[in-house]
Amino acid sequence: MVLQVEKSTYEAKTQEIAKQLLAATQENRSFFASLRDQMRLDDKLLAWAMSNPGLRVQLFRFIDTLPALHSKAEIAAHLQEYLGDESVELPTALKQMLNFANPDSMPGQVAATTVGTAVETLAHKYISGENIKQVIKTVEKLRKEKMAFTIDLLGEAVITETEAQFYLDRYLELMQQLAEASKSWSKVPAIDEADVAKVQVSVKLTAFYSQFDPLDAKGSEERVSSRIRTLLRRAKELGAAVHFDMEQYAYKNLTFSILKKILLEDEFKQRTDIGMTIQAYLRDSEEDARNLIAWAKQRGYPITIRLVKGAYWDQETIKAAQKHWQQPVYNDKAATDANFETITQLLLENHEYVYAAIGSHNVRSQARAIAIAESLNVPRRCFEMQVLYGMGDKLASALVDRGYRVRVYCPYGELLPGMAYLIRRLLENTANSSFLRQNMENRPVEELIAPPLVRQGDFPPSPTPPLTPSLFAVDTDYAEEKAIRLSQQALQDVRRQFGKTYLPLVNGEYVETQDVVDSVNPSNFSEIVGKIGLLSVEQAQEAMKAAKSAFPAWRKTPVKQRAGILRKAGDLMEQRRAEFSAWIVLEVGKPVREADAEVSEAIDFCRYYADEMERLDEGVNYDVPGENNRYIYQPRGIAVVISPWNFPLAIACGMTVAALVAGNCTFLKPAETSSVIAAKLTEVLVEAGIPKGVFQYVPGKGSQVGAYLVNHVDTHVIAFTGSQEVGCRIYAEAAILKPGQKHMKRVIAEMGGKNAIIVDESADLDAAVLGVVQSAFGYSGQKCSACSRVIVVEPIYNTFVERFVEATKSLNIGEAELPSTQVGPVIDAAARDRIHEYIEKGHAEAKAALEMSAPDNGYFIGPVIFSEVSPDSTIAQQEIFGPVVAVIRVKDFEEALEVANGTNYALTGGLYSRTPSHIEQAQSEFEVGNLYVNRNITGAIVARQPFGGFKLSGVGSKAGGPDYLLQFLEPRTITENIQRQGFAPIEGAD
């Protein structure tokens, strides 16, 4: 039976109960104020953070860094760096504390000790214990106060399978010890109902599998489910309850799906001691609640639904903005509060099917739940109130006094690894919109308990537009089942086209060729993706004539029209996104998510260069009275684009459309191993309206057709991406003036790198290990920007290598099209054999920390990690272009920078550090074209991160940047004397 009472009837009762609860929770304000200056430092830190936004940011950053600092001198130095920042207005007491000349000095030691102790005290407020013994003591104290508990295990992020198993084992041990301790607990009627377990734990689903990913829903479900079943079986034996927390939005649907399936299995179908979580800040949370209720009705046995506001608002908002996705959370706190009340009512109206656990520190939210429960006569067994340990103590006591079951969510674990949790709590406590903060600030009662006022458009739930300018393409969100289905369908459709022949496009016509080569699937080299007709030198001569003939009209084509063709090409690729991704997966072995990102990059190049050319076309006026001066650009002539196989769509497209929109007639000569994808790009450009002869697709042998085009007297620009050896040869050949040549050729060349990531002692190791794994082994280390060196400072070297090896071991190696694959094949047999030669050199030069096996049906190489590598060794100096990483030990940050800069390359580099001075120094001294701080070093985005390097990494400006098109243009200045017989118009004169 579903009970319903009109919403408005609850308001008077809500107000009445809220006032009573508030009266019980508020302190004597004048007394509080008088004590403000006598507070302990941990309290003062919070008070200061609330009143000073600049201090709040820097203080929390310092607290985040604290776990990595192992000496008082380090703590003192970081205190000065963070809190001494110009943006921070310091309270007098803190200023005095930080007024020391040297971190090693006695005042520095005192400051480190004082602040370190204060942060530890702060952590103890929110973390219920560092070990099980302390936790048992905490929960026994709670039970004396008539409060139930649920225990959550804090710790490092689960990034390896070893850690996932350890997480399960720790929970099994935790339940065992709590169950043992509970035997001596006397019954507390308020919380120990007939079928309510005394012991409850809260777990995170993603921690049971290190590679948990919605894209690989089936694989994730299989790996997670076996561990969940183990946990639930043991919980039943011990009489413990298990609650599943909810994490980031991307995991939500898969989390619900897995749990629903398990709880419908015969073994678990009758269990009523299991719970799930709904986050009210999510726009689709009401729909989730309704779906869970319907599922629970079908199941026939109730489960608990914990309703919370949600703890990852900043993270979700930032991710949506960066990815240009729809924002999953409400923008307005009031909208979340209103949604919380709506779902509270929904849960309580369906109390026969779901038990409600109302998790909030907002007095009104809890009062609303009580008002609804009392109005509907909901049995006390069917709902409970929940608060976080250390955050709602007075509210919890007031609720207990009213006879309600209150459960305290108790995180436990070592204080320092628990800092991420602590910072979330501090952010919540000090946010302007936080009820706890508003209550402390003595806001009027009426304001504190008023119904949430929602801005128009933010409620009821509706999708928000993505936070994006129209310029950027939007990567596919594989958390959506529809996107996965589209991807799988596209892979099937593309497979049906295998074996077709793709011919060169010369002067608008596809021409037959004498030579044909096969392009194969590197994941399974017995599969022929397509047959490529190779242009002969004689046909290349015809193509050059066509380009020369087409150039005069194309150069005069208005820029707006040329830009329009690029935009249409971008739109066509967007329409064919899943298909293009599939071609990339199957022809060059790039895993699905990375292939999709490459399609976005190609679209971005079309749109960005269209905008840029329109900007440049406006020219610049430098007029003076009597004289007009105009600075304008004109096309150079004929461009030859030689594109690589590792970004077969994005780089080929970017270089080609840059040349075209600038007014040049353009040849595209792709790498042989990726010529089908280039043929598909050709289809798009033709459909978009490129005239005959203006763009020509010329697959052919580099030593023949490539050399002919590079050396031709009518070639003006050569845009190349590939190896240093070939790039340098092109550069040298282009510099030779041929008979009849009337211009110097412009060469734009990107020639690879030996990219390093530095990890210093202050780094967040969870983030560093994940970032290095992604940067090194994404697309099997075959990106120009891939990490092939990791330079780690001595104090953390061994720990880093150990976790890096374990995280890499946890990766799935397999065919690129499989959703579980993180490491696919290398491009061909030649690449595989060359990489094996480097691995042999590595064995002679260093210690193999990891060498993974790989399938033999394709060109696979398992990830290889070498440790104790000398900075001057072959594997630390030469570009390998495969899944091989050298980990180099250095004594300090200065040496790390020296080693990082000690190669002939300067393409990309990374730094994981939470030391502001190190970040500042790297920004000025790390010799790379693209420096990434505290993130992975691959995946540059057009306009946001223009890409390219210097030294022997390349010549020319950065792709996707504001001066890239200038390389395809000649600047001209036109000066006109506008005086006639001493007369000239003067602006502003009558």
Side-chain angles (χ1 to χ4, degrees), residues 737-752:
L737 198 65
K738 307 292 190 308
Q741 185 177 322
K742 298 175 182 176
H743 57 271
M744 297 302 293
K745 293 176 183 177
R746 168 63 68 93
V747 176
I748 306 155
E750 195 269 276
M751 302 184 293

Side-chain angles (χ1 to χ4, degrees), residues 175-227:
M175 290 193 302
Q176 168 78 42
Q177 296 208 29
L178 285 169
E180 195 61 40
S182 72
K183 291 175 184 174
S184 63
W185 296 344
S186 53
K187 187 174 180 181
V188 180
I191 54 175
D192 297 330
E193 306 267 352
D195 60 342
V196 177
K198 287 181 180 177
V199 171
Q200 187 188 101
V201 294
S202 287
V203 300
K204 292 172 176 58
L205 206 69
T206 60
F208 291 116
Y209 178 41
S210 63
Q211 308 304 314
F212 192 91
D213 184 355
L215 176 58
D216 180 29
K218 189 180 175 199
S220 298
E221 182 181 328
E222 286 171 5
R223 299 296 289 271
V224 164
S225 296
S226 63
R227 285 178 171 144

Side-chain angles (χ1 to χ4, degrees), residues 62 64 102 137 255 258 272-273 281 297 380 579 678 863 886 949:
F62 167 76
D64 174 56
N102 189 324
K137 194 175 171 185
T255 297
I258 291 171
T272 60
D273 56 353
Y281 69 2
K297 285 180 187 176
R380 294 283 170 98
E579 180 206 339

